[in-house]
Amino acid sequence: MPAVQETVDQVRLIDVDQYKYGFVTDVESEKAPKGLSEDTVRFISAKKNEPAWMLEWRLEAYRRWLTMREPNWARVEYPKIDYQDLYYYSAPKRNALASLDEVDPEILKTYEKLGIPLREQEMLAGVVRQDSEGNNLGERRVAVDAVFDSVSVATTFKEELKKAGVIFMPISEALREHPELVKKYLGTVVPVTDNYFATLNSAVFSDGSFVYVPPGVRCPMELSTYFRINEANTGQFERTLIIADKGAYVSYLEGCTAPMRDENQLHAAVVELVALEDAEIKYSTVQNWYPGDANGKGGIFNFVTKRGDCRGDRAKISWTQVETGSAITWKYPSCILRGDDSRGEFYSIAISNGRQQVDSGTKMIHLGKNTTSRIISKGIAAGRSNNTYRGLVSAHRKAKGARNFTNCDSLLIGDKCGAHTVPYIEAKNSSAVFEHEATTSKISDDMLFYCRQRGMSAEEATALVVNGFVKDVLQQLPMEFAVEAQKLISISLEGSVG
Amino acid sequence: MALLEIKKLHVEIDGKKILNGLDLTIEKGKVHAIMGPNGSGKSTLAYVLAGKADYKVTSGEVLFNGENVLAMQPDERAAKGIFLAFQYPMEIPGVATMTFLRTALNAQRKHRGEVELSTPDFMKRVRETAAKLSIDTEMLRRAVNVGFSGGEKKRNEILQMSMLEPRLAVLDETDSGLDIDALKIVSEGVNRLRSPERSMIVITHYQRLLDYIVPDVVHVLSKGRVVKTGGKELALELEAKGYAEFADEAA
Ligand SMILES: Nc1ncnc2c1ncn2[C@@H]1O[C@H](COP(=O)(O)OP(=O)(O)OP(=O)(O)O)[C@@H](O)[C@H]1O
Ligand SMILES: [Mg+2]
């Protein structure tokens, strides 16, 4: 059989129904009435016992949103979203609890099934894990904030973190306990008016994580938030705000899954990072929202605004993302390099299969002197998917000596998918040095044959080659998440070859 | 029963006939050398045995241990014990040689219903095998064949063969690109694997390799057919006279 024919047949076999997290948890939940109005906004704010200024802030965002239009410049197509046909708030009835023992056992079971232990002793009892070469990774403790639909259901290791001075809690709680901190930073990186989805989020966000690391503190463990959308017809609008004060360091990981449903679900998050002088924030995402079925039915619409502000000199922000899920991904984690000598990094693996559409990339905005940035993007398209890298690198007048290095590689599996690279570059001063490299390749039949001759199945061979392709980025993930991500990559490519 | 039986094999690629009724039988434990001019179909034969997709078998049969090989996927053939040391080994960026070896070995074991090799057992075996082939463990951490010299690539093929312990090894010009020392190391590696249970097809242009890996049988391939078969002295004869006498025989 000629290779081309074989590839065509492989593509036909594409089946993305391999999603392992598609179950639904049966819990009673309390919802806001369907639809969006000032009342919805008031309802959410009241549920959270928010200070008055917060409600005003939300209402202002809502009024602004009414005047805005949904953006359409991305290379994604989707049916019109009916914003009145959604629930904007859904919370398990038993929540906001003092201890884990009070959390609905069904929810605890859900997280167990997802491999996210919420009991601290379970995390401590973790078995020693190994990487692919058999090196021990050791135990690493990770504090988890678990967000279920619209609310945080549990946050682990709070006490231990508190001793170090680190604040890690649901943002709804931070609004009550540390209103001055939230007020000082919220909306300063992603303004309320930033874009259609961010403005919507500002009006109706329900939960998310808040992190504050005080000056000079190195956060003693990885922090993570695990987002789960459970309820049908419910949008998830989470808001995360992370502040690393002068000389502080924090590494943060975000994970997400959702049940398989025939309807599309909306996820419009906002993440803001603030790194002050000499501070460093490392933000990693393993995004595994339900991608929809092989025919493009169902799946999450993921419209996310993520931005970091290197607000002080020598600050550093690094985004690492492994994007395998969602029907639509619209996401550009960015860095504003305001402080002199500050540094931004973006490492991305975006995999699309079936009918998935990914439009993702980054913006590196160089404002300060001698700021540097680095972008490594690996796009992998299989099935009938479309995968676009969209990036902007700009240097403003005062950003003398700004430097950027960009490398965008695309890999195509089969011939029914598409990969596109849309880089924008703007240099307003002549001392900026921007380097851009881009390649597009196909997984060669010869390479696969070599692997198969050694005994690997077509799928094992593809996964191996793809893992090699994304290695530079995987290396940026915290070690044990890299192992997870590697498995996830294999799973999301299942069915992409026959 | 012979380990490998090829009967009247006809193969074409893109409509061009390459093998024209090739017959070849290999008994267990025997080493057969195949020589022949450029373009006579030696690599084609090797690829067809391994199951490369582009080649179209128009007629004939290939039996391995009595089973019809042509109906099997490449990985199935590998698990049954067919190994090909490529004339031009592929590079796989980003995949450590060690990882590649382990994935391959465990894939084959899984296929045969055996348990995966434990990490310590695997590491021990790789280290020992690599040492015998004078392969630095540093090289095992590098991506498969990426930036390897010609000789290193060939040595890596023999390392894989030694780890995978096939029943039939097809070595396609494994000697090309090797310096004298490497040729010895590789030949010793191959000779170590000679056993009453294992057969080999050694494709080469040079008698010199056959001084080290002494074949039981030598075949001359021309225009897609075996045109002469003899003992190891046939290789010496070819070295002296070249292929001129076969130019017409195959037509
Ligand atoms: N993809 C292809 N399309 C067309 N012709 C091909 C293709 N692959 C191989 N051939 C032809 O098939 C013939 C046999 O090639 P093969 O590689 O088997 O020869 P060989 O005996 O191994 O030669 P060498 O000694 O040079 O390695 C050659 O004429 C070659 O050009
Ligand atoms: Mg050849």
Side-chain angles (χ1 to χ4, degrees), chain B residues 42-43 87 172-173 203:
Chain B
K42 301 181 299 295
S43 293
Q87 184 172 359
D172 193 357
E173 296 196 27
I203 298 170

Side-chain angles (χ1 to χ4, degrees), chain A residues 174-435:
Chain A
L175 269 164
R176 296 190 296 267
E177 291 185 24
H178 304 280
E180 71 301 334
L181 270 179
V182 179
K183 195 170 183 183
K184 182 167 172 193
Y185 292 105
L186 187 73
T188 62
V189 186
V190 179
V192 169
T193 54
D194 193 77
N195 70 72
Y196 189 79
F197 297 108
T199 305
L200 175 63
N201 173 288
S202 300
V204 300
F205 77 85
S206 42
D207 227 333
S209 299
F210 176 80
V211 177
Y212 173 78
V213 188
V217 171
R218 201 180 159 85
C219 187
M221 60 183 87
E222 308 264 351
L223 304 183
S224 81
T225 304
Y226 194 89
F227 295 101
R228 173 80 180 165
I229 300 181
N230 186 58
E231 202 56 46
N233 297 318
T234 300
Q236 192 176 55
F237 305 91
E238 91 261 1
R239 184 106 193 176
T240 295
L241 176 57
I242 299 176
I243 301 130
D245 213 321
K246 290 181 184 170
Y249 169 85
V250 61
S251 165
Y252 182 92
L253 183 112
E254 172 201 279
C256 29
T257 57
M260 288 156 97
R261 293 189 187 280
D262 286 347
E263 317 84 50
N264 297 111
Q265 280 178 284
L266 179 62
H267 175 257
V270 172
V271 174
E272 296 179 278
L273 310 182
V274 179
L276 301 181
E277 228 170 270
D278 295 304
E280 180 175 349
I281 301 175
K282 200 172 151 59
Y283 192 105
S284 315
T285 305
V286 176
Q287 189 265 108
N288 189 21
W289 294 119
Y290 177 52
D293 73 6
N295 301 315
K297 189 161 193 188
I300 301 285
F301 290 168
N302 194 29
F303 297 98
V304 169
T305 306
K306 290 184 165 175
R307 197 171 302 152
D309 188 358
C310 287
R311 209 164 276 184
D313 294 349
R314 296 170 302 281
K316 181 176 167 187
I317 287 177
S318 162
W319 297 101
T320 303
Q321 59 173 22
V322 178
E323 300 280 310
T324 62
S326 296
I328 309 278
T329 301
W330 182 102
K331 181 179 171 190
Y332 316 90
S334 305
C335 295
I336 300 166
L337 304 169
R338 199 182 302 277
D340 291 345
D341 300 297
S342 61
R343 178 168 175 83
E345 291 174 346
F346 174 75
Y347 300 98
S348 171
I349 299 170
I351 301 184
S352 53
N353 197 353
R355 302 264 179 176
Q356 282 177 275
Q357 305 176 59
V358 178
D359 196 297
S360 184
T362 185
K363 287 190 238 174
M364 292 291 173
I365 314 292
H366 293 257
L367 302 177
K369 287 200 251 334
N370 299 317
T371 45
T372 55
S373 61
R374 181 180 166 87
I375 299 170
I376 309 282
S377 164
K378 307 275 178 180
I380 299 147
R384 292 167 177 273
S385 67
N386 252 312
N387 204 321
T388 301
Y389 168 83
R390 188 182 302 277
L392 165 70
V393 178
S394 75
H396 286 241
R397 250 179 326 105
K398 289 182 186 155
K400 296 260 181 329
R403 283 177 168 271
N404 164 269
F405 173 77
T406 298
N407 173 278
C408 291
D409 294 331
S410 309
L411 187 67
L412 298 168
I413 302 176
D415 52 11
K416 296 269 192 301
C417 51
H420 320 273
T421 303
V422 191
Y424 302 93
I425 294 175
E426 293 168 7
K428 296 209 179 99
N429 80 71
S430 57
S431 64
V433 181
F434 293 165
E435 281 175 78

Side-chain angles (χ1 to χ4, degrees), chain A residues 482-495:
Chain A
V483 177
E484 290 304 315
Q486 210 164 345
K487 281 192 209 136
L488 189 57
I489 290 166
S490 309
I491 292 170
S492 56
L493 287 169
E494 265 172 38

Side-chain angles (χ1 to χ4, degrees), chain B residues 13-14 16-19 36-45 47 54-55 87-88 172-173 203 205 221:
Chain B
I13 183 160
D14 293 344
K16 181 179 166 191
K17 288 183 178 153
I18 314 265
L19 299 186
N38 295 131
S40 55
K42 301 181 299 295
S43 293
T44 301
L45 172 62
Y47 282 140
D54 320 67
Y55 296 89
Q87 184 172 359
Y88 305 106
D172 193 357
E173 296 196 27
I203 298 170
H205 285 294
L221 198 65

